[in-house]
């Protein structure tokens, strides 16, 4: 049975002291947590080890926001999956729309990152989704299908089963817009059917597919209540402990 997951992507926000304070607030709020959702936070690289210590005895798991596409070497400024694993992190966000758009990460690079992440026993949270022009021209399904076919659908079934997918309608990230619950469900069901067609029923039914795109305490319950929405990849709302806690409990 697939898991419900709430993952908070802090992006390029918080200094280390601010991040530690936020993690401490979350740990306190979750001290008596008895829910069944997996909880993940993804602070900046510079925070991983310290925040890992803060959340060590809590139900919160640690993720990086990205990783290098090479194992080691002369790649100034890059952070290898093995380095991330050594901090105690268990997850890595890959393919986020901001990485695709601002840093021009190709499907080829994202596949290589995914393979290296899995090699280092980390779980990828792999993002897919369409731009507004693609949605308006009714190319959203074809766009997402191509993103899957050129990346994680090239993995073996056993490797694919280790990942978490996150559907991001890019037009709803940081804009205040949000896909309706019906739009989210439609795309998540479409993605699950693609998995069913590529692999099998069991793989499709056990794949957690998160929704990412302006998910807030006010709309989380309705989004999470959809049959094929298995939680959320949360941006801005994960930077406020009370808001993130409310989404976890949605």
């Amino acid at each position: 049975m697939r898991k419900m997951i709430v993952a908070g992507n802090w992006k390029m926000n918080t200094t280390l002291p601010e991040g530690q304070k936020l993690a401490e607030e979350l740990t306190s709020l979750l001290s008596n947590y008895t829910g069944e959702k997996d909880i993940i936070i993804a602070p900046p690289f510079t925070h991983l080890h310290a925040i890992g210590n803060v959340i060590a005895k809590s139900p919160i798991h640690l993720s990086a926001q990205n990783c290098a596409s090479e194992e080691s070497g002369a790649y100034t400024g890059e952070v290898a999956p093995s380095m991330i694993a050594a901090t105690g992190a268990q997850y890595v966000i890959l393919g986020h729309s901001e990485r695709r758009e601002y840093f021009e990460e190709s499907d080829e690079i994202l596949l290589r990152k995914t393979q290296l992440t899995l090699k280092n026993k980390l779980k990828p949270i792999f993002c897919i989704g369409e731009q507004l022009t693609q949605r308006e021209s009714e190319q959203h399904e074809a766009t997402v299908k191509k993103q899957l076919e050129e990346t994680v659908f090239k993995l073996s079934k056993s490797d694919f089963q280790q990942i978490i997918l996150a559907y991001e309608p890019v037009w709803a990230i940081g804009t205040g817009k949000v896909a309706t619950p019906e739009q989210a469900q439609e795309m998540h069901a479409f993605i699950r059917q693609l998995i069913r067609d590529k692999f099998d029923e069991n793989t499709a039914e056990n794949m957690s597919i998160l929704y990412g795109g302006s998910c807030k305490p006010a709309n989380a319950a309705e989004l999470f209540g959809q049959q094929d929405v298995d939680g959320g990849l949360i941006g801005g709302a994960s930077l406020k402990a009370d808001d993130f806690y409310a989404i976890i409990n949605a």
Side-chain angles (χ1 to χ4, degrees), residues 13-37:
N13 291 294
T14 75
T15 61
L16 179 54
E18 291 168 346
Q20 288 175 304
K21 181 181 178 183
L22 176 55
E24 287 165 0
E25 290 172 352
L26 282 170
T27 299
S28 177
L29 288 169
L30 291 162
S31 60
N32 296 312
Y33 181 70
T34 57
E36 296 182 353
K37 294 186 182 76

PDB file of all heavy atoms in Angstrom, residues 13-37:
ATOM      1  N   ASN A  13      16.375  29.382   1.047  1.00  0.00           N
ATOM      2  CA  ASN A  13      15.857  30.198   2.142  1.00  0.00           C
ATOM      3  C   ASN A  13      16.438  29.708   3.463  1.00  0.00           C
ATOM      4  O   ASN A  13      16.767  28.530   3.599  1.00  0.00           O
ATOM      5  CB  ASN A  13      14.329  30.110   2.209  1.00  0.00           C
ATOM      6  CG  ASN A  13      13.659  30.784   1.026  1.00  0.00           C
ATOM      7  OD1 ASN A  13      13.740  31.993   0.858  1.00  0.00           O
ATOM      8  ND2 ASN A  13      13.021  29.982   0.175  1.00  0.00           N
ATOM      9  N   THR A  14      16.539  30.595   4.410  1.00  0.00           N
ATOM     10  CA  THR A  14      17.031  30.428   5.781  1.00  0.00           C
ATOM     11  C   THR A  14      18.556  30.377   5.858  1.00  0.00           C
ATOM     12  O   THR A  14      19.223  29.720   5.066  1.00  0.00           O
ATOM     13  CB  THR A  14      16.477  29.177   6.513  1.00  0.00           C
ATOM     14  OG1 THR A  14      17.090  27.997   6.028  1.00  0.00           O
ATOM     15  CG2 THR A  14      14.974  29.081   6.410  1.00  0.00           C
ATOM     16  N   THR A  15      19.090  31.121   6.828  1.00  0.00           N
ATOM     17  CA  THR A  15      20.477  30.919   7.240  1.00  0.00           C
ATOM     18  C   THR A  15      20.497  29.664   8.098  1.00  0.00           C
ATOM     19  O   THR A  15      19.437  29.133   8.464  1.00  0.00           O
ATOM     20  CB  THR A  15      20.969  32.105   8.070  1.00  0.00           C
ATOM     21  OG1 THR A  15      20.148  32.199   9.258  1.00  0.00           O
ATOM     22  CG2 THR A  15      20.881  33.410   7.278  1.00  0.00           C
ATOM     23  N   LEU A  16      21.676  29.185   8.451  1.00  0.00           N
ATOM     24  CA  LEU A  16      21.741  27.988   9.287  1.00  0.00           C
ATOM     25  C   LEU A  16      21.028  28.181  10.629  1.00  0.00           C
ATOM     26  O   LEU A  16      20.222  27.328  11.016  1.00  0.00           O
ATOM     27  CB  LEU A  16      23.193  27.545   9.494  1.00  0.00           C
ATOM     28  CG  LEU A  16      23.396  26.314  10.382  1.00  0.00           C
ATOM     29  CD1 LEU A  16      22.566  25.125   9.902  1.00  0.00           C
ATOM     30  CD2 LEU A  16      24.872  25.940  10.453  1.00  0.00           C
ATOM     31  N   PRO A  17      21.263  29.302  11.359  1.00  0.00           N
ATOM     32  CA  PRO A  17      20.524  29.476  12.618  1.00  0.00           C
ATOM     33  C   PRO A  17      19.010  29.525  12.410  1.00  0.00           C
ATOM     34  O   PRO A  17      18.250  28.958  13.209  1.00  0.00           O
ATOM     35  CB  PRO A  17      21.051  30.807  13.161  1.00  0.00           C
ATOM     36  CG  PRO A  17      22.413  30.945  12.564  1.00  0.00           C
ATOM     37  CD  PRO A  17      22.295  30.349  11.190  1.00  0.00           C
ATOM     38  N   GLU A  18      18.562  30.173  11.336  1.00  0.00           N
ATOM     39  CA  GLU A  18      17.127  30.215  11.050  1.00  0.00           C
ATOM     40  C   GLU A  18      16.585  28.826  10.731  1.00  0.00           C
ATOM     41  O   GLU A  18      15.492  28.456  11.155  1.00  0.00           O
ATOM     42  CB  GLU A  18      16.858  31.163   9.873  1.00  0.00           C
ATOM     43  CG  GLU A  18      17.094  32.636  10.192  1.00  0.00           C
ATOM     44  CD  GLU A  18      17.111  33.516   8.953  1.00  0.00           C
ATOM     45  OE1 GLU A  18      17.205  32.981   7.821  1.00  0.00           O
ATOM     46  OE2 GLU A  18      17.043  34.750   9.111  1.00  0.00           O
ATOM     47  N   GLY A  19      17.350  28.058   9.975  1.00  0.00           N
ATOM     48  CA  GLY A  19      16.934  26.709   9.629  1.00  0.00           C
ATOM     49  C   GLY A  19      16.860  25.804  10.844  1.00  0.00           C
ATOM     50  O   GLY A  19      15.927  25.003  10.984  1.00  0.00           O
ATOM     51  N   GLN A  20      17.843  25.943  11.734  1.00  0.00           N
ATOM     52  CA  GLN A  20      17.823  25.141  12.956  1.00  0.00           C
ATOM     53  C   GLN A  20      16.607  25.491  13.817  1.00  0.00           C
ATOM     54  O   GLN A  20      15.965  24.601  14.377  1.00  0.00           O
ATOM     55  CB  GLN A  20      19.113  25.364  13.742  1.00  0.00           C
ATOM     56  CG  GLN A  20      20.326  24.711  13.099  1.00  0.00           C
ATOM     57  CD  GLN A  20      21.609  25.049  13.827  1.00  0.00           C
ATOM     58  OE1 GLN A  20      21.949  26.217  13.999  1.00  0.00           O
ATOM     59  NE2 GLN A  20      22.329  24.026  14.261  1.00  0.00           N
ATOM     60  N   LYS A  21      16.298  26.771  13.889  1.00  0.00           N
ATOM     61  CA  LYS A  21      15.129  27.193  14.671  1.00  0.00           C
ATOM     62  C   LYS A  21      13.848  26.617  14.075  1.00  0.00           C
ATOM     63  O   LYS A  21      12.976  26.123  14.805  1.00  0.00           O
ATOM     64  CB  LYS A  21      15.049  28.717  14.711  1.00  0.00           C
ATOM     65  CG  LYS A  21      13.876  29.241  15.533  1.00  0.00           C
ATOM     66  CD  LYS A  21      13.816  30.760  15.530  1.00  0.00           C
ATOM     67  CE  LYS A  21      12.602  31.255  16.322  1.00  0.00           C
ATOM     68  NZ  LYS A  21      12.481  32.737  16.275  1.00  0.00           N
ATOM     69  N   LEU A  22      13.718  26.677  12.752  1.00  0.00           N
ATOM     70  CA  LEU A  22      12.536  26.134  12.090  1.00  0.00           C
ATOM     71  C   LEU A  22      12.430  24.624  12.336  1.00  0.00           C
ATOM     72  O   LEU A  22      11.348  24.104  12.640  1.00  0.00           O
ATOM     73  CB  LEU A  22      12.602  26.432  10.588  1.00  0.00           C
ATOM     74  CG  LEU A  22      11.500  25.851   9.702  1.00  0.00           C
ATOM     75  CD1 LEU A  22      10.111  26.241  10.191  1.00  0.00           C
ATOM     76  CD2 LEU A  22      11.696  26.321   8.246  1.00  0.00           C
ATOM     77  N   ALA A  23      13.547  23.924  12.227  1.00  0.00           N
ATOM     78  CA  ALA A  23      13.543  22.483  12.469  1.00  0.00           C
ATOM     79  C   ALA A  23      13.178  22.171  13.918  1.00  0.00           C
ATOM     80  O   ALA A  23      12.455  21.201  14.194  1.00  0.00           O
ATOM     81  CB  ALA A  23      14.910  21.897  12.119  1.00  0.00           C
ATOM     82  N   GLU A  24      13.660  22.978  14.844  1.00  0.00           N
ATOM     83  CA  GLU A  24      13.324  22.783  16.259  1.00  0.00           C
ATOM     84  C   GLU A  24      11.827  22.990  16.502  1.00  0.00           C
ATOM     85  O   GLU A  24      11.202  22.239  17.253  1.00  0.00           O
ATOM     86  CB  GLU A  24      14.142  23.740  17.125  1.00  0.00           C
ATOM     87  CG  GLU A  24      15.615  23.351  17.225  1.00  0.00           C
ATOM     88  CD  GLU A  24      16.484  24.476  17.762  1.00  0.00           C
ATOM     89  OE1 GLU A  24      15.942  25.575  18.051  1.00  0.00           O
ATOM     90  OE2 GLU A  24      17.715  24.265  17.886  1.00  0.00           O
ATOM     91  N   GLU A  25      11.253  24.021  15.852  1.00  0.00           N
ATOM     92  CA  GLU A  25       9.821  24.276  15.998  1.00  0.00           C
ATOM     93  C   GLU A  25       9.002  23.106  15.455  1.00  0.00           C
ATOM     94  O   GLU A  25       8.022  22.679  16.068  1.00  0.00           O
ATOM     95  CB  GLU A  25       9.448  25.570  15.261  1.00  0.00           C
ATOM     96  CG  GLU A  25       9.994  26.830  15.923  1.00  0.00           C
ATOM     97  CD  GLU A  25       9.786  28.080  15.074  1.00  0.00           C
ATOM     98  OE1 GLU A  25       9.362  27.954  13.906  1.00  0.00           O
ATOM     99  OE2 GLU A  25      10.064  29.181  15.580  1.00  0.00           O
ATOM    100  N   LEU A  26       9.411  22.586  14.296  1.00  0.00           N
ATOM    101  CA  LEU A  26       8.709  21.441  13.714  1.00  0.00           C
ATOM    102  C   LEU A  26       8.831  20.207  14.601  1.00  0.00           C
ATOM    103  O   LEU A  26       7.849  19.486  14.815  1.00  0.00           O
ATOM    104  CB  LEU A  26       9.277  21.128  12.326  1.00  0.00           C
ATOM    105  CG  LEU A  26       8.838  22.026  11.180  1.00  0.00           C
ATOM    106  CD1 LEU A  26       9.669  21.731   9.937  1.00  0.00           C
ATOM    107  CD2 LEU A  26       7.363  21.838  10.881  1.00  0.00           C
ATOM    108  N   THR A  27      10.026  19.980  15.110  1.00  0.00           N
ATOM    109  CA  THR A  27      10.251  18.828  15.985  1.00  0.00           C
ATOM    110  C   THR A  27       9.364  18.904  17.217  1.00  0.00           C
ATOM    111  O   THR A  27       8.784  17.905  17.652  1.00  0.00           O
ATOM    112  CB  THR A  27      11.736  18.758  16.384  1.00  0.00           C
ATOM    113  OG1 THR A  27      12.530  18.604  15.211  1.00  0.00           O
ATOM    114  CG2 THR A  27      12.001  17.595  17.317  1.00  0.00           C
ATOM    115  N   SER A  28       9.240  20.112  17.760  1.00  0.00           N
ATOM    116  CA  SER A  28       8.385  20.300  18.936  1.00  0.00           C
ATOM    117  C   SER A  28       6.920  20.034  18.599  1.00  0.00           C
ATOM    118  O   SER A  28       6.215  19.334  19.344  1.00  0.00           O
ATOM    119  CB  SER A  28       8.556  21.726  19.476  1.00  0.00           C
ATOM    120  OG  SER A  28       7.694  21.954  20.579  1.00  0.00           O
ATOM    121  N   LEU A  29       6.452  20.567  17.481  1.00  0.00           N
ATOM    122  CA  LEU A  29       5.062  20.367  17.076  1.00  0.00           C
ATOM    123  C   LEU A  29       4.755  18.892  16.820  1.00  0.00           C
ATOM    124  O   LEU A  29       3.634  18.429  17.050  1.00  0.00           O
ATOM    125  CB  LEU A  29       4.756  21.182  15.813  1.00  0.00           C
ATOM    126  CG  LEU A  29       4.648  22.700  15.983  1.00  0.00           C
ATOM    127  CD1 LEU A  29       4.612  23.388  14.628  1.00  0.00           C
ATOM    128  CD2 LEU A  29       3.406  23.061  16.794  1.00  0.00           C
ATOM    129  N   LEU A  30       5.754  18.164  16.359  1.00  0.00           N
ATOM    130  CA  LEU A  30       5.551  16.761  15.989  1.00  0.00           C
ATOM    131  C   LEU A  30       5.981  15.783  17.084  1.00  0.00           C
ATOM    132  O   LEU A  30       6.060  14.584  16.842  1.00  0.00           O
ATOM    133  CB  LEU A  30       6.324  16.455  14.700  1.00  0.00           C
ATOM    134  CG  LEU A  30       5.770  17.126  13.433  1.00  0.00           C
ATOM    135  CD1 LEU A  30       6.820  17.137  12.329  1.00  0.00           C
ATOM    136  CD2 LEU A  30       4.504  16.417  12.957  1.00  0.00           C
ATOM    137  N   SER A  31       6.216  16.297  18.271  1.00  0.00           N
ATOM    138  CA  SER A  31       6.743  15.448  19.340  1.00  0.00           C
ATOM    139  C   SER A  31       5.806  14.305  19.695  1.00  0.00           C
ATOM    140  O   SER A  31       6.254  13.237  20.136  1.00  0.00           O
ATOM    141  CB  SER A  31       7.048  16.282  20.587  1.00  0.00           C
ATOM    142  OG  SER A  31       5.862  16.924  21.052  1.00  0.00           O
ATOM    143  N   ASN A  32       4.507  14.510  19.518  1.00  0.00           N
ATOM    144  CA  ASN A  32       3.534  13.458  19.817  1.00  0.00           C
ATOM    145  C   ASN A  32       2.789  12.996  18.569  1.00  0.00           C
ATOM    146  O   ASN A  32       1.669  12.498  18.659  1.00  0.00           O
ATOM    147  CB  ASN A  32       2.529  13.956  20.871  1.00  0.00           C
ATOM    148  CG  ASN A  32       3.195  14.261  22.200  1.00  0.00           C
ATOM    149  OD1 ASN A  32       3.964  13.455  22.711  1.00  0.00           O
ATOM    150  ND2 ASN A  32       2.912  15.436  22.752  1.00  0.00           N
ATOM    151  N   TYR A  33       3.428  13.150  17.418  1.00  0.00           N
ATOM    152  CA  TYR A  33       2.772  12.820  16.156  1.00  0.00           C
ATOM    153  C   TYR A  33       2.494  11.326  16.052  1.00  0.00           C
ATOM    154  O   TYR A  33       3.379  10.494  16.258  1.00  0.00           O
ATOM    155  CB  TYR A  33       3.648  13.263  14.980  1.00  0.00           C
ATOM    156  CG  TYR A  33       3.040  12.978  13.624  1.00  0.00           C
ATOM    157  CD1 TYR A  33       1.936  13.699  13.176  1.00  0.00           C
ATOM    158  CD2 TYR A  33       3.570  11.989  12.795  1.00  0.00           C
ATOM    159  CE1 TYR A  33       1.370  13.450  11.938  1.00  0.00           C
ATOM    160  CE2 TYR A  33       3.011  11.740  11.543  1.00  0.00           C
ATOM    161  CZ  TYR A  33       1.916  12.467  11.119  1.00  0.00           C
ATOM    162  OH  TYR A  33       1.355  12.207   9.896  1.00  0.00           O
ATOM    163  N   THR A  34       1.259  10.995  15.753  1.00  0.00           N
ATOM    164  CA  THR A  34       0.873   9.585  15.619  1.00  0.00           C
ATOM    165  C   THR A  34       0.245   9.297  14.253  1.00  0.00           C
ATOM    166  O   THR A  34      -0.334   8.234  14.046  1.00  0.00           O
ATOM    167  CB  THR A  34      -0.123   9.183  16.724  1.00  0.00           C
ATOM    168  OG1 THR A  34      -1.274  10.040  16.658  1.00  0.00           O
ATOM    169  CG2 THR A  34       0.515   9.279  18.099  1.00  0.00           C
ATOM    170  N   GLY A  35       0.363  10.257  13.346  1.00  0.00           N
ATOM    171  CA  GLY A  35      -0.200  10.072  12.013  1.00  0.00           C
ATOM    172  C   GLY A  35       0.607   9.085  11.189  1.00  0.00           C
ATOM    173  O   GLY A  35       1.681   8.627  11.592  1.00  0.00           O
ATOM    174  N   GLU A  36       0.086   8.775  10.012  1.00  0.00           N
ATOM    175  CA  GLU A  36       0.703   7.763   9.158  1.00  0.00           C
ATOM    176  C   GLU A  36       1.473   8.346   7.982  1.00  0.00           C
ATOM    177  O   GLU A  36       2.055   7.604   7.189  1.00  0.00           O
ATOM    178  CB  GLU A  36      -0.378   6.810   8.645  1.00  0.00           C
ATOM    179  CG  GLU A  36      -1.052   6.019   9.756  1.00  0.00           C
ATOM    180  CD  GLU A  36      -2.093   5.044   9.243  1.00  0.00           C
ATOM    181  OE1 GLU A  36      -2.388   5.077   8.030  1.00  0.00           O
ATOM    182  OE2 GLU A  36      -2.609   4.253  10.050  1.00  0.00           O
ATOM    183  N   LYS A  37       1.495   9.669   7.846  1.00  0.00           N
ATOM    184  CA  LYS A  37       2.230  10.280   6.741  1.00  0.00           C
ATOM    185  C   LYS A  37       3.731  10.260   7.016  1.00  0.00           C
ATOM    186  O   LYS A  37       4.171  10.447   8.147  1.00  0.00           O
ATOM    187  CB  LYS A  37       1.782  11.732   6.532  1.00  0.00           C
ATOM    188  CG  LYS A  37       0.349  11.917   6.066  1.00  0.00           C
ATOM    189  CD  LYS A  37       0.090  13.393   5.762  1.00  0.00           C
ATOM    190  CE  LYS A  37      -1.356  13.639   5.335  1.00  0.00           C
ATOM    191  NZ  LYS A  37      -2.271  13.597   6.474  1.00  0.00           N
TER     192      LYS A  37
END
